[in-house]
């Protein structure tokens, strides 16, 4: 199999992570092609640095044409099935050597996690790739919840409204990663060439819990307003609580009505990270091998500060 990897196609170029991944890959020296359903929208969002090709993810002819001369495909979110399996099939036909599926989440290394409906398509895609390792190699990157994305939509802790919903007691520790670090991990595994083939990597910026995020958020807000005492500032926050067991029960109720219930999926995501039965702390992870340092307390506060 030819290495090194030089040309990369990114599917989902205008999604939540796509633009950051594309800019990181370009800065790392890769030649990047952005695959998109709307070339005009993507060109306006990314500028001239990336080549943009409009594709139909349900058309093999469209995908095969777009993937000519591409060494690796990175999926940042274009829908799960059948779009990803179509991309894999087209990648094999086009001679692509590496495929990175949409996987910025938690490793599915326990039977409990594999039974969650939210992971159904990821499991299918992983099995689909593993059955084709003689035709194309793959790399899967696990990041845990994407920290800055969730802060931006007010999940984990909402600094603008000074509100938080604590799941259970707020002490569940979990690995979390910024989009910049997730993108750096993508560049790192592609630069490893054959050394990252058919492997899974875990990367994180920090292992934290909601109570710690709340404590740091209060410090950030206090510093940004420059007024009030710490005790006074604490009283301004609205703290709600949610039981993950109740989330799991409501998710199952939603799925009995609609197997693809958006509410059910949302609640299962909560359970997958914060549920008592699941481990969400990556431990050592693979940061050292990928050349990625973890955040300290000051750096975590700086991230929180961007959303105050």
């Amino acid at each position: 199999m030819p290495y090194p990897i030089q040309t990369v196609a990114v599917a989902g170029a205008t999604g939540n992570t796509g633009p950051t991944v594309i800019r990181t890959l370009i800065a790392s020296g890769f030649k990047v092609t952005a695959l998109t359903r709307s070339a005009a929208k993507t060109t306006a969002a990314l500028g001239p640095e990336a080549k943009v090709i409009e594709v139909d993810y349900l058309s093999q002819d469209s995908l095969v044409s777009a993937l000519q001369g591409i060494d690796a495909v990175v999926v940042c979110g274009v829908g799960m099935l059948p779009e990803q399996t179509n991309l894999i099939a087209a990648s094999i036909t086009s001679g692509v050597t590496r495929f990175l599926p949409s996987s910025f989440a938690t490793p599915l290394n326990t039977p409990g996690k594999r039974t969650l409906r939210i992971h159904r398509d990821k499991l299918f895609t992983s099995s689909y790739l593993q059955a084709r390792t003689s035709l194309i190699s793959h790399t899967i990157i696990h990041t845990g919840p994407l920290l800055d994305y969730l802060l931006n939509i007010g999940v984990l802790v909402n600094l603008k409204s000074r509100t938080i919903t604590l799941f259970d007691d707020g002490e569940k520790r979990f690995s979390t990663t910024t989009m910049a670090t997730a993108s750096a991990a993508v560049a790192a595994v592609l630069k490893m060439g054959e050394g990252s083939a058919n492997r899974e990597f875990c990367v994180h910026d920090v292992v934290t819990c909601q109570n710690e995020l709340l404590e740091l958020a209060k410090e950030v807000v206090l510093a940004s307003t420059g007024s009030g005492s710490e005790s006074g500032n604490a009283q301004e926050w609205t703290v709600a609580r949610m039981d993950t067991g109740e989330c799991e029960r409501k998710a199952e109720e939603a799925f009995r009505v609609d197997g693809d219930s958006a509410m059910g999926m949302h609640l299962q995501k909560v359970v997958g990270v914060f549920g008592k039965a699941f481990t969400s702390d990556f431990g050592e992870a693979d940061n050292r091998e990928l050349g990625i340092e973890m955040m300290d307390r000051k750096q975590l506060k700086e991230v929180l500060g961007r959303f105050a």
Side-chain angles (χ1 to χ4, degrees), residues 159 211-227 229-230 233-234 237 297-298 300-301 304-305 308:
L159 285 86
N211 285 334
E212 181 179 19
L213 291 176
L214 177 57
E215 176 189 350
L216 294 176
K218 288 178 179 178
E219 294 177 10
V220 167
V221 170
L222 184 64
S224 66
T225 58
S227 62
S229 65
E230 288 194 21
N233 184 61
W237 283 76
R297 184 181 177 91
K298 179 182 177 181
L300 180 54
K301 285 179 69 173
L304 290 167

Side-chain angles (χ1 to χ4, degrees), residues 138-161:
H138 65 273
T139 306
I140 296 176
I141 299 172
H142 303 296
T143 62
L146 291 171
L147 179 61
D148 41 353
Y149 167 69
L150 292 178
L151 290 172
N152 187 51
I153 61 174
V155 179
L156 296 181
V157 59
N158 191 321
L159 285 86
K160 285 186 170 62
S161 65

Side-chain angles (χ1 to χ4, degrees), residues 34 69-70 88 104 126 179 208 215 233 247 267 270 281 290 304:
I70 296 296
I88 295 166
F104 289 164
S126 176
M179 288 186 279
T208 187
E215 176 189 350
N233 184 61
C247 289
L267 291 170
V270 169
D281 178 349
L290 298 177
L304 290 167

Side-chain angles (χ1 to χ4, degrees), residues 177-190:
T177 309
T178 60
M179 288 186 279
T181 295
S183 301
V186 171
V189 299
L190 292 179

Side-chain angles (χ1 to χ4, degrees), residues 234-269:
Q235 292 174 3
E236 296 176 12
W237 283 76
T238 300
V239 179
R241 295 184 182 274
M242 185 175 291
D243 180 81
T244 56
E246 183 68 7
C247 289
E248 190 168 11
R249 185 186 66 78
K250 289 183 176 179
E252 289 305 315
E253 287 181 354
F255 288 137
R256 280 195 288 272
V257 176
D258 176 4
D260 294 311
S261 165
M263 178 58 72
M265 295 291 185
H266 170 71
L267 291 170
Q268 269 204 349
K269 288 178 182 178

